[in-house]
Amino acid sequence: IGVVAVFHDLTAIRRLEQMRKDFVANVSHELRTPITSIRGFSETLLDGAMQDPDTCQEFLKIILEESIRLQRLVGDLLDLSTIESKQMAMNFEQLSIASFLQNITKTLDEQARNKEQTLRVEIKEDFQIRMDPDRLKQIVLNLVSNAIAYTPAGGEIRVQVDQEEKDWILVVSDTGMGIPEEDLGRIFERFYRVDKARSRESGGTGLGLAIVKHLVEEYEGEIKVTSKMGEGTTFTIWFSKE
Ligand code: ADP
């Protein structure tokens, strides 16, 4: 039995080591892409492309977009490492779920309208929760931004909250493209994307859902996802009221 246990430990250690290596490789790759682009376009501008105002404008726009992507990626990486090392400060506050959602859905509403989508917030009755508003905001923003990004024009995004005896429930659903069944189990992994090109297009870092899952676990909550291709996706989170 002793030998078997040691053997198991070794495989677990090897697996962890492999995961760490994969993560470093992924991060390097994700960082390299925007850096290469920023460097390439800056060099071309300095080599003479600046003479043409249109080209100049176009290249500078790309440089700005790629810088924003880098900034978002570094921000998400820092958040993830802070949550994982359990160093994230939690400032619990008593919140009214209705006013909390009203406050944060203003910017999301604009994002949805820009894509000709409708954002609906449904609260049967207001209730109080005790949470860190910044962390809850991060959870909702990540899920709703994804819903907007992966839903075509004309679609509908819904945010619903409800309460049961012991839990309160947050549901974010969309009428978007859906997630293939074989990918559902992996979308919470760092850098896992169903469609790399679309994720890039939407400015995604591939870390949003990993952050959401970690935050939910930090609150001892549970997150589940269901999806149907071409019909839409629903994320449901259960938080304990205590
Ligand atoms: P990304 O920055 O790529 O959006 P996330 O971690 O937020 O990274 O999501 C991981 C992947 O899960 C996405 O690349 C996308 O393929 C898929 N995904 C997430 N939310 C949705 C959704 N609402 N509808 C369809 N696919 C989604």
Side-chain angles (χ1 to χ4, degrees):
I1 290 163
V3 175
V4 174
V6 169
F7 181 73
H8 273 300
D9 277 355
L10 273 178
T11 20
I13 289 167
R14 279 207 195 101
R15 200 175 315 129
L16 275 176
E17 179 59 13
Q18 189 56 44
M19 273 169 70
R20 195 192 61 78
K21 280 186 186 156
D22 289 348
F23 181 63
V24 173
N26 273 326
V27 170
S28 315
H29 176 78
E30 297 287 337
L31 289 171
R32 188 178 288 147
T33 319
I35 290 173
T36 307
S37 169
I38 291 170
R39 177 172 176 176
F41 283 103
S42 319
E43 279 174 352
T44 318
L45 278 175
L46 287 171
D47 282 349
M50 260 197 297
Q51 317 300 346
D52 177 35
D54 285 348
T55 313
C56 201
Q57 176 90 9
E58 187 194 334
F59 285 10
L60 284 174
K61 239 177 106 183
I62 299 173
I63 291 173
L64 178 63
E65 272 165 21
E66 294 297 322
S67 315
I68 294 172
R69 171 186 296 282
L70 263 183
Q71 196 173 30
R72 197 177 299 148
L73 182 63
V74 173
D76 277 0
L77 280 169
L78 277 175
D79 276 349
L80 201 59
S81 83
T82 321
I83 308 169
E84 282 185 344
S85 62
K86 310 261 176 223
Q87 301 285 307
M88 183 160 279
M90 291 282 194
N91 300 307
F92 285 90
E93 280 178 32
Q94 194 80 13
L95 308 167
S96 134
I97 193 74
S99 52
F100 171 81
L101 285 179
Q102 231 157 33
N103 279 337
I104 64 162
T105 42
K106 273 187 204 126
T107 38
L108 292 169
D109 205 32
E110 202 175 302
Q111 268 184 51
R113 254 183 288 138
N114 284 340
K115 274 197 77 182
E116 291 162 44
Q117 297 162 339
T118 333
L119 175 68
R120 278 187 213 292
V121 180
E122 292 172 8
I123 307 162
K124 277 200 196 118
E125 56 170 343
D126 193 16
F127 53 89
Q128 300 283 313
I129 51 169
R130 239 184 92 69
M131 268 183 115
D132 184 328
D134 290 334
R135 305 284 82 86
L136 183 58
K137 187 171 164 184
Q138 223 172 349
I139 293 173
V140 179
L141 287 185
N142 271 312
L143 291 179
V144 178
S145 316
N146 275 349
I148 293 172
Y150 301 107
T151 298
E156 188 176 278
I157 319 296
R158 230 183 256 219
V159 179
Q160 293 160 290
V161 286
D162 209 348
Q163 56 177 337
E164 290 175 347
E165 202 181 320
K166 288 195 176 132
D167 297 333
W168 73 273
I169 303 158
L170 170 73
V171 181
V172 176
S173 55
D174 62 61
T175 57
M177 53 193 287
I179 301 167
E181 205 178 332
E182 64 269 26
D183 294 301
L184 277 180
R186 300 199 60 190
I187 53 168
F188 294 103
E189 288 175 20
R190 301 176 292 195
F191 295 120
Y192 190 83
R193 293 153 167 133
V194 177
D195 180 346
K196 261 205 176 281
R198 191 180 284 262
S199 164
R200 240 190 108 68
E201 225 174 78
S202 72
T205 60
L207 295 173
L209 286 182
I211 291 177
V212 168
K213 189 164 168 76
H214 273 89
L215 284 172
V216 170
E217 281 167 359
E218 196 71 5
Y219 281 103
E220 288 167 9
E222 199 185 340
I223 183 163
K224 289 249 161 72
V225 56
T226 55
S227 190
K228 208 157 183 200
M229 288 304 282
E231 287 187 19
T233 304
T234 301
F235 287 90
T236 310
I237 306 179
W238 290 264
F239 288 113
S240 162
K241 283 203 279 195
E242 270 105 64

